[in-house]
Amino acid sequence: MCSRPMWWSPMPSFRQRLWPASLLGRLSLVMVAGLLLTQLVASYIWASQLRAKAQVEVQSASQYVAHGASGAIRFFRSLPANYRQLLIQQLREMGGTRFFVNFNHAYVPVHSIEATPLADSALQSVAATLKSDLPHSPPSHLAFAWPDQLVVSEDGVRLNDLPDAWVQHILLLKPDPAPILVIQTEIEPGNWLYMAALMPNPYFLSSNDPLAWDRLALQGLSLAVVLLLCLLVVRWITRPLAALSEAAAAFGQGQDDKTLPLPETGSREFINTARAFSAMRERIQRYIEDRERLFISISHDLRTPITRLKLRSELLDDEALRNEFEEDLDELDMMVKGALQCVKDSDIHENPAEVKLDAMLGRLVRSARLAGHEVAYQDTGLSVRAKPLALKRAIGNLLDNALYYGKRAEISVTSADGMVAIAVRDHGPGVPEDALASLFDPYVRLAHGREQNDGGMGLGLGIARSVIEAHGGQLQLSNHPQGGLYAVIRLPA
């Protein structure tokens, strides 16, 4: 057998597997991919603009806070040391100022929030502004911290341990805490000024985040709604096309039901197409019926004058002339019988059913073996949906050809890619490559065929191909590498 059957096709590439075969799948994929790409590009542009705007706002807000902090540092530095705590106590009782202020004897370590580009930019802007406003002061220690982790004094007192009156008008502790800017600077040796404040927009880190969950949820919801509407529209558009495709396939396989006309729904273009298809189907059906009636009538009517001519030829006295007449009449009678057989075999009216190939081919093989032929076949358990009698005649024609011209035949059945392949190989001399295409033509017989089967008419292969194509399949012929003709029928599984 061939190492690679002629119906074999290479595995589809990854791109071919990804690209749907149906119009619905292709339109859906294109629209979904286009929407996703548009959404991603728009989101990227919007996020870039949002980040740029947030950067400008943070820079301005940081400078505003830094100017206030530098003024506070200058004010406390100008006070005598023994007045500072008294003033701080008075500010706390009054409800505080913009800053929560405390004095310590050393720097208090701060547990900073997770570093972000926006927070780092704010700290850099505050540091630059403080250095510009207080050029002769030592560098300040800056950090953003969460309220529940913030220590405000050297003895470990946390912000949450302080009375609410001290901080409730200055910092946001609940219900949604905001990051706190902490500024620590040394006023004089051994005295550290501790200031904590909120940014003008306390939630600047989250409000300017393009990937915040609420924004992503809103974008995702809007995208899902648009995609759903697009899929519904695509399905609404392609559903009539699917009906048209099914009607065309059924008509091509002889399964057309006139009681179920193609529905004229959908767009104006499809309605016009449906009407044109229905009219074409009726014209073709009438043509086929008229052709069959005409063909059968002519073939039938020709047999009567042929019979009369045969009887009259018997009255001829010249034996040589009588023999020539009889030979011509026999050839004409054979052509008429062949025409009738062609119409009968290629137009079998029966309903499609599930055909178990082992049972059908087994009967053909047993009949051939009883006639003294050698046929090899192994059961496969495969089946196809087809017209049983028509399929049997098509395979029978191929097997008869194989046994006439090859003496020995092999039948094999395989399944791949949703198709069932029935291969019939003979062990004869094969066929010239340039003559393969003409084997399906009626009354075409090669010299080897005429020698092996002088009673044939050259209609078997054409009938077989017509039957297989009516089932939506293919019949292909080739020469086997090890000799003989190789015929392959491919049918939908």
Side-chain angles (χ1 to χ4, degrees), residues 24-203:
L24 173 62
R26 292 184 177 183
L27 286 178
S28 300
L29 179 61
V30 170
M31 296 191 70
V32 169
L35 283 173
L36 289 177
L37 181 61
T38 303
Q39 187 75 10
L40 289 175
V41 173
S43 298
Y44 175 78
I45 296 175
W46 173 74
S48 301
Q49 294 177 345
L50 187 63
R51 289 193 182 98
K53 179 182 177 182
Q55 187 71 25
V56 173
E57 292 178 350
V58 166
Q59 291 284 339
S60 177
S62 301
Q63 293 174 4
Y64 172 76
V65 173
H67 287 310
S70 62
I73 292 173
R74 281 194 296 264
F75 174 73
F76 282 104
R77 183 176 291 169
S78 65
L79 291 177
N82 54 347
Y83 281 99
R84 293 171 182 165
Q85 287 295 340
L86 179 61
L87 180 61
I88 291 174
Q89 186 63 32
Q90 290 177 349
L91 292 175
R92 290 172 180 173
E93 292 176 357
M94 292 170 59
T97 61
R98 177 174 179 77
F99 297 93
F100 168 79
V101 183
N102 194 25
F103 272 94
N104 298 298
H105 294 95
Y107 167 75
V108 178
V110 177
H111 184 71
S112 302
I113 66 173
E114 184 179 356
T116 62
L118 205 57
D120 293 341
S121 176
L123 293 177
Q124 293 173 6
S125 180
V126 171
T129 304
L130 289 176
K131 184 177 180 180
S132 175
D133 292 348
L134 305 170
H136 303 295
S137 297
S140 300
H141 296 267
L142 310 174
F144 280 105
W146 294 112
D148 58 342
Q149 300 176 349
L150 185 58
V151 178
V152 299
S153 66
E154 56 192 332
D155 53 2
V157 176
R158 291 179 175 270
L159 186 64
N160 291 336
D161 299 332
L162 299 177
D164 290 342
W166 290 12
V167 296
Q168 64 181 355
H169 301 299
I170 304 173
L171 307 176
L172 289 174
L173 305 183
K174 54 186 178 181
D176 188 12
I180 297 173
L181 173 63
V182 179
I183 303 174
Q184 298 185 71
T185 184
E186 193 173 19
I187 300 295
E188 60 246 0
N191 283 325
W192 284 77
L193 178 62
Y194 183 104
M195 293 186 299
L198 294 173
M199 296 289 288
N201 177 12
Y203 303 104

Side-chain angles (χ1 to χ4, degrees), residues 389-400:
L389 184 57
L391 182 61
K392 181 180 179 181
R393 289 186 177 180
I395 300 176
N397 286 346
L398 297 179
L399 181 59
D400 290 342

